[in-house]
Amino acid sequence: MSTNQTTEARRGKAPAGERVADWADGRLGIYSLAKANMRKIFPDHWSFMLGEVCLYSFIIIILTGVYLTLFFHPSMNEVEYHGSYVPLQGQLMSEAFNSTMHISFDVRGGLLIRQIHHWAALVFLAGMFVHMMRVFFTGAFRKPREVNWLFGFLLFVLGMFTGFTGYSLPDDLLSGTGVRFMEGAILSVPIVGTYLSFFLFGGEFPGGDFVARFYSVHILLLPGIMLGLVVAHLILVFYHKHTQFAGPGKTNNNVVGMPLLPVYMAKAGGFFFLVFGVIAAISAIAQINPIWAIGPYRPDQVSTGAQPDWYMGFSEGLIRVMPGWEINFWGHTLVLGVFIPLVIFPLVLVAIAVYPFIESWVTGDRREHHILDRPRNAPTRTAFGVAWITLYMVLLIGGGNDLWATHFHLSINSITWFVRIAFFVGPVLAFVITKRICLGLQRRDKEKVLHGRESGIIKRLPHGEFIEVHEPLSQDALHTLTAHEQYEPLAIGPTVDENGVERKVKGSERLRAKLSEAYFGEESQIPKPTVEEYKEITSGHGHH
Amino acid sequence: MSSQDIPEENLPAEQDTHGAVGVADEKNPFADPGLPPHEHRIQDVDERAAKRSERSVALLFTVSMLATVGFIASYVAIPADESVYIWPIGHISAMNFALGMTLGIALFTIGAGAVHWARTLMSDLEIADERHPIEAPPEVKTKVMADFKQGAKESALGRRKLIRNTMFGALALFPLSGVILLRDLGPLPGDKLRHTLWSKGKLLVNMNTNEPLRPSDVAVGSLTFAKPEGLEEHDEDFQTEIAKAALLIVRIQPENIKDKQELEWSHEGIVAYSKICTHVGCPISLYEQQTHHVLCPCHQSTFDLSDGARVIFGPAGHALPQLRIGVNDEGYLEALGDFAEPVGPAFWERG
Ligand code: HEM
Ligand code: FES
């Protein structure tokens, strides 16, 4: 039998799927790829699904967005409305608004797709926010994942702007007010502000260009960049492998969980449909952005209670509570009342983005970390994170000051002052309180390790005293509660070397030692129980 | 100070030796006991339970198919303008509700089926995979550095400075063309932000009725919006012009006007101010007639119209500009010129 015949014979027998795979392998090398990845292990934890929520809502946004482009006209030409929504008939509006009306009333299912697109955008950004916080509080951003942290952060920021340009497209009264707000903010930039504004809007506000310009930014530029970032983000997740929480059998050198095929694929694939299904159902019952009730944009009209989507709320808060400072000099105006919020806006975001690099500088730790921290075991980081969230939330409250005022019958004045004070005091308080709570929890863990778990059983001792019986922990639990690492504060070391020559201690070195003390000094962590302590106590009880 | 200078004993791996793992002879109570033994689920041992799971999954997938049929049926059968009452939401579009719910159910049940299948019927044995350091081993690094040196040497980039410098120059300059191309994104501001459509003799036209205003049309306690005569909604630049020219008019008893210039620029207590908030440009829309305060609904800046429209609350930085008005021979309100200062948000060149 010649070799030729063997191949012939085999080809005849192999199932069709295998033959297709063979074909692809010969061209793309898929077998080697599958060998490394098909049974790749994914650890399971509910919080690991947050990233998936983001990915899936992103896919949903792209699918529905492409559908919307089939009907949406990104033009600001004024037309008279003649569609099927009676109250607006005869009214002047831009083609953008007109076509969004058409999508909402005359394209069957168009309203649903619009609502899914918008709801998915809200879920996408909320998902990214919570996912980012998960990564932050568990220390998952540590080496080797710092770059992926930055990718994720960029996705969040770009997502905000994609959302903003998106909800500005229908050119309705609400979003137009938001665009005006943005134009006012740009005008406040010293020296170049008016030029930036004229270039962005093709002249004076609102002009006839911004919808078309926002459109290409919204559907092409930003999503294109984001798609690239999402792919890079996922490749890195695959390459680094997932982190995991400490536990029996889990080390820094392994990853414990279930294989991609079949379990993870079924769960993750199924989860996509769950997310899509829930968003579709929400879009069926909860109306979002009913532009017909808001009306087309007119620069001289406004709807009350104008609010941006939630992810822009904190910038709204900044601009609302800032005092209206303006400085006039030599024929120029420095519009601090608007420009300062415009500067703080990115700074708030950058503060959380650079944190991982500050922490790694303070610890000087260059090892890879694949075991997640429990937030309590990194009190300073956790406290910083909570302080940041507090700042964010205070600004969100400021962004909705009129809503708070009407719902709770408060005066705008007192809310504004509350936000102004809380802007400075809130994060500090949050920091101190969080740190104390973390230390309390650490102490409780230590108690548990050394004295066991409270069993709820009360025992009466021979001399009449009542005590609660403590059950010793299993070795699994003992290991899990003591697996975390504890750093020692960094000492500057002797400033005089052995020859008596004084060594210069740089300012940065001193700062670092101070920070290290703040992170890992006695005030900032409870030393975890040692084996000796454990043995002494358990042998003291005698009966284990 | 770079990270290398960290004394090794500050890193936890080093500290651990005197803690958890140090005890040699006796068993370490904190040691990693290894993966817990696998516990069987009921579906692993009881075939009847497994069959039940199988049927649940199949049922979910079947519901999905039915929901998709329902989706198509709703698309065809429901008129686009029909509304239904759904408790507790109220009246909503029947089409939107039916399509969204059927689509939602069709998708959700696929997901629920897949997840249920994975959780109850697929192996739940936990497996451990090795990790490998991301960093390349030293040999690899040495090889890469050597390759790079070789490549750099062969290019002679370091030696032939002239090539290097001119290349950097060329690469640095060419993006300028791209920047230059952006120039025509818009015209230069010039003094456009300083002028509006208002000029001497232009009548104040009521925004609602599109009729020129007479003093008698402006009642005490009411807020009237006006635009300059000749500006019509159908005009091509209507939006851009009204964004600067929009006017709000109120009537205040002249003796209640505290600001001298305001009184001079008014007519029988009728004062005209720019409607565009000086904060970031929202139109002002709320008027409190007792106090003569107007409020911007965007960020609650409040202006006192009886006192030069100065800011009494909120983030706005300066007063609303006033338009000087009078009455022409035929008894209509008219502007006596343009605004004396730019309207709307402040900007660098405003001064
Ligand atoms: C990646 C993140 C994206 C976010 C956060 C986002 C968000 C939004 C939002 C909030 C709206 C307003 C919807 C409304 O209520 O009317 C919108 C409109 C729109 N989006 Fe997106 N979008 C994204 C990507 C895309 C993509 C990739 C496309 C197309 C390929 C797209 C196409 C559109 C179109 C055509 C509209 C206007 C139609 C309308 O408003 O009904 N979007 N977007
Ligand atoms: S625009 Fe009027 S208060 Fe901000």
Side-chain angles (χ1 to χ4, degrees):
Chain A
M1 216 196 269
S2 81
T3 16
N4 225 340
Q5 275 168 320
T6 346
T7 15
E8 280 295 297
R10 224 190 292 135
R11 193 181 277 174
K13 260 181 254 148
E18 187 181 325
R19 269 182 286 138
V20 172
D22 281 345
W23 187 92
D25 185 51
R27 277 110 196 135
L28 306 168
I30 58 167
Y31 287 151
S32 314
L33 208 67
K35 177 174 167 258
N37 293 314
M38 200 182 250
R39 294 283 283 177
K40 194 179 180 67
I41 296 301
F42 283 86
D44 213 8
H45 188 267
W46 65 266
S47 68
F48 299 165
M49 292 195 310
L50 293 168
E52 285 179 48
V53 172
C54 307
L55 175 64
Y56 300 150
S57 41
F58 184 60
I59 296 173
I60 296 166
I61 290 174
I62 293 181
L63 291 176
T64 50
V66 170
Y67 182 86
L68 291 174
T69 61
L70 305 178
F71 302 99
F72 180 73
H73 300 183
S75 151
M76 295 176 82
N77 287 342
E78 295 281 314
V79 292
E80 236 175 70
Y81 181 68
H82 297 298
S84 50
Y85 183 71
V86 179
L88 285 187
Q89 265 171 13
Q91 195 155 329
L92 278 179
M93 54 181 63
S94 64
E95 260 189 70
F97 189 90
N98 190 36
S99 62
T100 313
M101 288 297 287
H102 178 70
I103 294 174
S104 306
F105 288 98
D106 304 302
V107 176
R108 283 180 282 175
L111 177 61
L112 181 68
I113 300 299
R114 251 194 80 220
Q115 307 221 113
I116 294 181
H117 193 72
H118 204 142
W119 271 113
L122 297 188
V123 171
F124 180 50
L125 278 137
M128 284 197 286
F129 188 87
V130 183
H131 173 59
M132 196 160 107
M133 291 301 108
R134 192 291 278 176
V135 169
F136 184 88
F137 285 111
T138 57
F141 54 69
R142 288 171 298 168
K143 191 182 168 189
R145 296 183 179 77
E146 300 98 321
V147 177
N148 226 12
W149 162 265
L150 288 184
F151 283 177
F153 170 77
L154 276 179
L155 278 166
F156 179 65
V157 175
L158 293 180
M160 286 170 47
F161 287 102
T162 316
F164 178 79
T165 49
Y167 69 69
S168 302
L169 289 182
D171 201 22
D172 57 282
L173 194 51
L174 187 63
S175 71
T177 305
V179 176
R180 173 88 227 214
F181 170 157
M182 181 185 125
E183 195 250 359
I186 292 175
L187 281 181
S188 78
V189 177
I191 305 173
V192 294
T194 32
Y195 291 82
L196 288 180
S197 169
F198 271 64
F199 285 166
L200 183 63
F201 289 91
E204 288 181 78
F205 177 87
D209 289 328
F210 86 78
V211 167
R213 290 181 181 178
F214 278 27
Y215 188 61
S216 60
V217 170
H218 178 75
I219 73 158
L220 186 65
L221 184 62
L222 294 180
I225 299 173
M226 289 173 76
L227 192 62
L229 283 172
V230 166
V231 171
H233 196 76
L234 292 178
I235 289 178
L236 280 181
V237 169
F238 251 72
Y239 185 55
H240 291 144
K241 302 200 168 110
H242 226 295
T243 51
Q244 60 194 355
F245 281 101
K250 298 175 182 173
T251 72
N252 205 34
N253 300 320
N254 72 6
V255 48
V256 176
M258 315 245 190
L260 176 64
L261 190 79
V263 178
Y264 190 75
M265 206 174 251
K267 276 195 186 168
F271 195 54
F272 167 72
F273 288 96
L274 289 181
V275 172
F276 204 164
V278 168
I279 292 179
I282 293 176
S283 308
I285 49 188
Q287 181 163 289
I288 188 165
N289 202 10
I291 53 150
W292 53 92
I294 302 168
Y297 181 59
R298 279 267 306 254
D300 63 330
Q301 289 174 5
V302 67
S303 56
T304 47
Q307 286 288 334
D309 273 1
W310 77 266
Y311 43 87
M312 281 294 176
F314 83 101
S315 61
E316 181 85 12
L318 275 169
I319 206 134
R320 283 189 185 198
V321 302
M322 179 73 198
W325 297 340
E326 253 168 45
I327 300 176
N328 290 301
F329 60 98
W330 303 318
H332 289 297
T333 302
L334 198 53
V335 198
L336 293 178
V338 183
F339 186 58
I340 289 178
L342 189 66
V343 172
I344 297 180
F345 168 75
L347 287 184
V348 171
L349 295 171
V350 165
I352 197 86
V354 300
Y355 176 83
F357 300 93
I358 295 173
E359 188 184 294
S360 85
W361 179 67
V362 172
T363 60
D365 189 347
R366 303 178 71 218
R367 299 161 308 154
E368 291 185 7
H369 289 277
H370 304 294
I371 295 282
L372 295 173
D373 285 326
R374 294 170 83 207
R376 68 185 62 174
N377 289 332
T380 308
R381 175 203 298 151
T382 304
F384 178 85
V386 175
W388 186 81
I389 293 183
T390 307
L391 182 72
Y392 193 93
M393 293 302 158
V394 164
L395 290 174
L396 267 189
I397 293 177
N401 59 358
D402 49 339
L403 301 183
W404 294 92
T406 43
H407 280 288
F408 299 102
H409 306 287
L410 301 165
S411 91
I412 290 269
N413 193 21
S414 42
I415 297 174
T416 302
W417 274 103
F418 166 78
V419 171
R420 281 178 185 171
I421 294 168
F423 178 85
F424 295 100
V425 178
V428 176
L429 272 184
F431 186 92
V432 173
I433 294 173
T434 309
K435 204 158 163 181
R436 302 201 77 170
I437 294 177
C438 285
L439 292 180
L441 289 172
Q442 282 192 22
R443 240 176 249 124
R444 210 164 72 188
D445 283 349
K446 184 169 184 173
E447 277 296 291
K448 252 206 300 219
V449 168
L450 293 180
H451 301 288
R453 181 161 40 85
E454 289 167 10
S455 63
I457 302 168
I458 308 290
K459 206 162 93 177
R460 187 166 178 226
L461 295 183
H463 55 274
E465 188 193 346
F466 287 95
I467 58 157
E468 187 175 2
V469 178
H470 283 230
E471 271 175 32
L473 298 184
S474 68
Q475 196 180 350
D476 280 5
L478 286 179
H479 170 69
T480 309
L481 287 180
T482 55
H484 59 286
E485 305 185 325
Q486 291 192 315
Y487 292 90
E488 238 153 62
L490 190 74
I492 294 191
T495 46
V496 182
D497 70 10
E498 54 267 37
N499 304 327
V501 182
E502 207 163 318
R503 183 172 67 95
K504 267 239 177 83
V505 182
K506 273 187 288 177
S508 65
E509 207 176 324
R510 253 193 232 115
L511 173 69
R512 188 174 173 189
K514 271 223 184 79
L515 282 174
S516 181
E517 178 66 30
Y519 263 80
F520 310 116
E522 273 169 36
E523 312 275 276
S524 304
Q525 60 186 1
I526 308 295
K528 62 181 189 180
T530 62
V531 174
E532 289 82 3
E533 273 176 296
Y534 181 80
K535 294 219 159 127
E536 200 175 290
I537 288 177
T538 43
S539 62
H541 283 298
H543 52 86
H544 285 290
Chain B
M1 184 160 159
S2 83
S3 340
Q4 279 110 315
D5 311 337
I6 296 279
E8 283 290 304
E9 66 271 17
N10 281 322
L11 292 179
E14 259 57 43
Q15 297 157 20
D16 270 357
T17 36
H18 15 267
V21 255
V23 200
D25 41 0
E26 268 191 80
K27 197 166 154 291
N28 175 4
F30 300 163
D32 182 357
L35 277 183
H38 177 236
E39 275 172 31
H40 288 294
R41 295 162 302 192
I42 177 138
Q43 288 88 352
D44 296 332
V45 288
D46 180 358
E47 181 53 28
R48 278 204 320 263
K51 267 267 180 282
R52 271 201 303 280
S53 285
E54 184 182 350
R55 277 196 299 273
S56 316
V57 174
L59 178 68
L60 285 165
F61 288 160
T62 313
V63 171
S64 169
M65 288 189 266
L66 293 177
T68 299
V69 173
F71 181 92
I72 298 169
S74 317
Y75 188 93
V76 177
I78 300 178
D81 56 358
E82 187 164 305
S83 92
V84 281
Y85 182 81
I86 306 282
W87 189 88
I89 311 161
H91 286 280
I92 53 174
S93 152
M95 170 77 93
N96 188 64
F97 180 72
L99 292 182
M101 284 319 272
T102 47
L103 180 65
I105 292 170
L107 294 165
F108 190 89
T109 45
I110 294 180
V115 171
H116 191 59
W117 179 13
R119 291 174 67 110
T120 58
L121 293 173
M122 292 180 188
S123 160
D124 69 338
L125 190 66
E126 282 201 312
I127 305 174
D129 243 4
E130 289 287 299
R131 281 183 201 276
H132 307 286
I134 304 294
E135 238 167 36
E139 316 84 80
V140 175
K141 181 180 165 186
T142 321
K143 169 90 170 76
V144 170
M145 297 315 266
D147 284 357
F148 178 77
K149 274 215 188 81
Q150 185 61 24
K153 204 172 122 208
E154 285 169 18
S155 77
L157 197 68
R159 211 151 44 82
R160 306 210 186 270
K161 296 255 158 58
L162 193 59
I163 292 188
R164 192 194 63 186
N165 294 347
T166 49
M167 180 182 79
F168 284 161
L171 288 177
L173 276 188
F174 95 87
L176 269 184
S177 316
V179 177
I180 297 290
L181 282 173
L182 295 179
R183 164 61 188 86
D184 276 349
L185 275 177
L188 296 185
D191 60 355
K192 294 195 188 70
L193 292 180
R194 298 197 163 269
H195 303 296
T196 72
L197 270 190
W198 291 107
S199 61
K200 188 162 169 43
K202 279 233 168 122
L203 300 184
L204 277 59
V205 175
N206 188 328
M207 200 64 119
N208 290 334
T209 60
N210 217 12
E211 298 290 334
L213 283 162
R214 292 171 181 278
S216 56
D217 298 331
V218 184
V220 174
S222 70
L223 182 63
T224 311
F225 299 131
K227 61 179 182 177
E229 112 184 70
L231 180 63
E232 296 301 333
E233 273 197 0
H234 282 88
D235 293 349
E236 206 191 302
D237 52 357
F238 174 78
Q239 295 276 72
T240 305
E241 289 304 341
I242 199 69
K244 289 190 298 181
L247 213 56
L248 56 84
I249 302 170
V250 296
R251 186 193 276 271
I252 304 173
Q253 299 299 343
E255 61 274 18
N256 289 344
I257 296 180
K258 298 176 201 121
D259 185 86
K260 233 179 78 201
Q261 182 188 300
E262 179 178 358
L263 191 60
E264 264 168 41
W265 288 17
S266 67
H267 174 79
E268 296 170 358
I270 299 176
V271 292
Y273 279 100
S274 163
K275 194 187 176 189
I276 308 301
C277 181
T278 58
H279 179 222
V280 288
C282 277
I284 287 162
S285 61
L286 304 169
Y287 177 51
E288 243 254 320
Q289 45 169 302
Q290 268 93 31
T291 54
H292 305 296
H293 292 171
V294 284
L295 176 87
C296 173
C298 283
H299 317 114
Q300 289 82 42
S301 286
T302 310
F303 304 85
D304 185 353
L305 290 195
S306 66
D307 190 10
R310 72 187 168 87
V311 186
I312 53 169
F313 178 77
H318 58 271
L320 296 171
Q322 187 179 3
L323 187 73
R324 191 168 183 179
I325 55 168
V327 167
N328 70 4
D329 306 338
E330 292 152 51
Y332 289 109
L333 286 173
E334 65 170 2
L336 297 181
D338 198 353
F339 286 101
E341 49 177 322
V343 301
F347 48 94
W348 174 252
E349 296 87 349
R350 186 174 186 276

